[in-house]
Amino acid sequence: MAGYDYDLFVIGGGSGGVRAARVAASVGKRVAIAEEYRFGGTCVIRGCVPKKLYVYASQFPEHFADAAGYGWTVPGASFDWPTLVANKDKEIARLEAIYKKNVEGVGGETFHSRAVLVDPHCVYLVAEDRTVSADQILIATGGRPAPHPALAGHEHCIFSNEAFDLKELPKAIMIEGGGYIAVEFANIFHGLGVETTLVYRGKEILSRFDMDLRRSLHETMEKKGITILTHSISEWVGKNPQGRLDVLLSSGKTLTVDQVMLAIGRIPNTENMGLEGVGVELGKTGAIVVDEFSRTNIDNIWAIGDVTHRVQLTPVAIHEAMCFIETAFKGNPTAVDHDTIATAVFSQPEIGTVGLSEDEAAKRFPEIEIYRASFRPMRHTLSGRDEKMLMKLIVDAASRKVLGAHILGPDAGEMAQLLGIPLKAGLTKHDFDRTMAVHPTAAEELVTMYKPTYRVKNGERV
Ligand code: NDP
């Protein structure tokens, strides 16, 4: 090991890479990390963090409107997009510096450079024009928005990356896709006053979530004024003489908008980094194939986060980093457990979910109990906002184990985090029933639904 420059070289300074570098350095390993763009990666620089800030920004018009029922008069409010972008930039720059400092503070070395594998132990640093060696190499280069070359006029379209930094807020936008990013951005742009159309190829948005929540969110988004066109895809995008964009949809309909944003999934960053030359196995989508310990087919090369073929979520990448450190440096082989991951969609209203959807549970268990509550949250009583909250528990009738918990409404993401604990622990509905409620909260509904709303037996609702 002493023959190498480093014990660990990490390629990619996002959430996963920085965590691995920082923790390895803090246990005394000689560590270096290379990032070609900005430390912090997708999540901090152009993903979760700025997205959440924009979600907050987009919620103010509803807060102002809701205030009236509580006796407040809010004088004519106005919004300035460049101020939001500039303040976001300041916050992101602050976090970026912290990410870098966290590695350096525990003795890790940081490089601002693209890094290319030369052989299983050597990495060429492009910006420095030199090669360094390491005993272990970790690839954490993340992913990027999937391009859409089949779409005629795709060069006129933007992706989430550009959406954060538009010179001006469009008057009208069309967003293609029905996943996390499309739905979150549709709500952001609508909240900021942009005429928003979501175009989705399937029957119902958010295909991997519980159908009840998908339908309710869809209805609520439409009620707010977002147009959702399902069973549709865009076929052609072109600039019109007014400088706006015309979009021809598969339905024959034409939209005229100022921006078209594509959010049709994300692909791994594995090109031109020497992986093929060194013989690292890639899957069909170009993602790095790893085992349950995040090890590639080459013994000393590992990969974590969105560059692998697993779940594309920041906390998952961080967890994979921690397991990698245990395995590679602490003599404690730790497989990554991807089961029962709590997640949130920062739509408006928000979705928080953990475990199996009703449909998935019905396929896997002979009989399930569904506990379902739909109610107007207390905060909307005086505000008069006609928006319901939906909560649902999916329970295996035989073992009474809670298989899934799904929430649509204010703070659903916060609740999903806490529900992740009892579901991960395999607790039963009995454990929920004997838990005292916190009153008055919306979450108390989760421990006070004593009788099943309905059951599903052999796939049939009874
Ligand atoms: P998703 O996989 O969530 O959604 C992609 C969407 O694009 C789906 O609705 C899919 O349809 C549709 N689609 C795929 N290909 C095409 C095509 N050729 N033409 C038209 N539509 C197409 O990806 P996102 O881009 O929204 O997000 C990427 C990942 O980032 C997510 O999977 C998530 O893991 C992560 N993320 C997490 C967030 C969070 O935790 N809150 C926020 C943002 C991103 P179909 O359903 O039919 O397949």
Side-chain angles (χ1 to χ4, degrees), residues 52-74 77 191 224 348 350 379-380 382-385 387 410-411:
K52 190 88 188 271
L53 296 174
Y54 282 19
V55 168
Y56 288 136
S58 67
Q59 287 171 338
F60 281 96
E62 288 195 355
H63 294 330
F64 298 147
D66 291 353
Y70 288 90
W72 290 94
T73 305
V74 181
K224 285 179 194 284
Q348 297 171 38
E350 216 166 279
R379 70 159 76 166
H380 292 335
L382 294 200
S383 76
R385 181 167 297 283
E387 226 173 79
D411 304 320

Side-chain angles (χ1 to χ4, degrees), residues 62-373:
E62 288 195 355
H63 294 330
F64 298 147
D66 291 353
Y70 288 90
W72 290 94
T73 305
V74 181
S78 64
F79 171 67
D80 185 53
W81 169 255
T83 301
L84 174 65
V85 175
N87 288 346
K88 177 268 294 177
D89 285 345
K90 236 186 278 168
E91 174 60 7
I92 298 314
R94 186 183 74 85
L95 294 173
E96 179 187 10
I98 290 174
Y99 265 64
K100 195 161 174 278
K101 209 173 89 197
N102 279 348
V103 177
E104 292 167 350
V106 285
E109 209 173 325
T110 57
F111 292 105
H112 206 274
S113 171
R114 185 167 179 81
V116 178
L117 281 173
V118 178
D119 66 44
H121 287 285
C122 288
V123 175
Y124 174 65
L125 294 169
V126 178
E128 308 234 333
D129 189 22
R130 68 185 174 104
T131 298
V132 295
S133 64
D135 182 38
Q136 306 293 318
I137 291 174
L138 177 68
I139 301 165
T141 46
R144 63 183 189 279
H148 197 353
L151 172 65
H154 62 91
E155 65 278 9
H156 299 299
C157 302
I158 60 165
F159 298 92
S160 53
N161 288 352
E162 294 79 28
F164 287 114
D165 296 304
L166 292 172
K167 287 260 174 316
E168 59 185 56
L169 197 59
K171 282 200 171 51
I173 192 166
M174 187 209 101
I175 302 178
E176 174 121 32
Y180 283 82
I181 296 178
V183 168
E184 291 180 343
F185 272 91
N187 284 280
I188 290 171
F189 280 116
H190 168 75
L192 296 178
V194 179
E195 189 190 318
T196 304
T197 306
L198 188 66
V199 172
Y200 174 50
R201 66 181 179 182
K203 187 170 155 213
E204 189 53 276
I205 55 171
L206 292 173
S207 57
R208 282 169 283 174
F209 291 80
D210 187 89
M211 189 50 106
D212 235 350
L213 271 72
R214 295 163 66 188
R215 278 201 209 105
S216 302
L217 176 63
H218 182 144
E219 270 174 38
T220 313
M221 284 170 63
E222 283 193 326
K223 221 167 10 167
K224 285 179 194 284
I226 299 171
T227 304
I228 303 180
L229 305 173
T230 54
H231 295 300
S232 295
I233 49 171
S234 51
E235 292 189 331
W236 176 88
V237 182
K239 220 170 207 148
N240 69 22
Q242 290 73 43
R244 302 187 81 198
L245 296 172
D246 289 333
V247 189
L248 177 64
L249 302 180
S250 52
S251 59
K253 194 178 165 76
T254 304
L255 299 176
T256 299
V257 293
D258 305 291
Q259 294 287 355
V260 174
M261 174 175 150
L262 303 176
I264 59 168
R266 294 177 58 84
I267 56 170
N269 288 327
T270 46
E271 295 93 347
N272 307 320
M273 44 183 296
L275 295 173
E276 294 86 349
V278 171
V280 174
E281 186 188 345
L282 302 180
K284 268 201 296 258
T285 57
I288 297 178
V289 178
V290 290
D291 66 10
E292 69 267 40
F293 301 104
S294 302
R295 194 191 290 264
T296 69
N297 58 317
I298 308 227
D299 233 29
N300 72 308
I301 301 184
W302 312 70
I304 55 168
D306 288 7
V307 75
T308 67
H309 58 293
R310 301 176 288 184
V311 185
Q312 297 176 324
L313 292 171
T314 298
V316 173
I318 291 173
H319 187 76
E320 288 167 359
M322 298 304 281
C323 293
F324 156 72
I325 296 291
E326 288 295 319
T327 306
F329 294 113
K330 292 191 174 177
N332 176 30
T334 305
V336 183
D337 175 5
H338 288 104
D339 196 38
T340 318
I341 298 171
T343 179
V345 182
F346 294 99
S347 45
Q348 297 171 38
E350 216 166 279
I351 281 182
T353 185
V354 54
L356 300 181
S357 66
E358 179 181 331
D359 290 345
E360 277 173 301
K363 278 185 216 147
R364 294 196 213 172
F365 294 83
E367 185 175 345
I368 54 172
E369 297 169 352
I370 310 299
Y371 297 80
R372 184 184 190 280

Side-chain angles (χ1 to χ4, degrees), residues 10-54:
V10 181
I11 307 180
S15 301
V18 164
R19 174 60 65 96
R22 178 163 72 77
V23 179
S26 69
V27 296
K29 301 295 167 193
R30 296 169 304 146
V31 177
I33 180 169
E35 165 59 49
E36 68 174 339
Y37 182 54
R38 295 177 68 181
F39 279 91
T42 298
C43 175
V44 172
I45 306 296
R46 46 195 178 189
C48 327
V49 173
K51 179 273 306 289
K52 190 88 188 271
L53 296 174
Y54 282 19

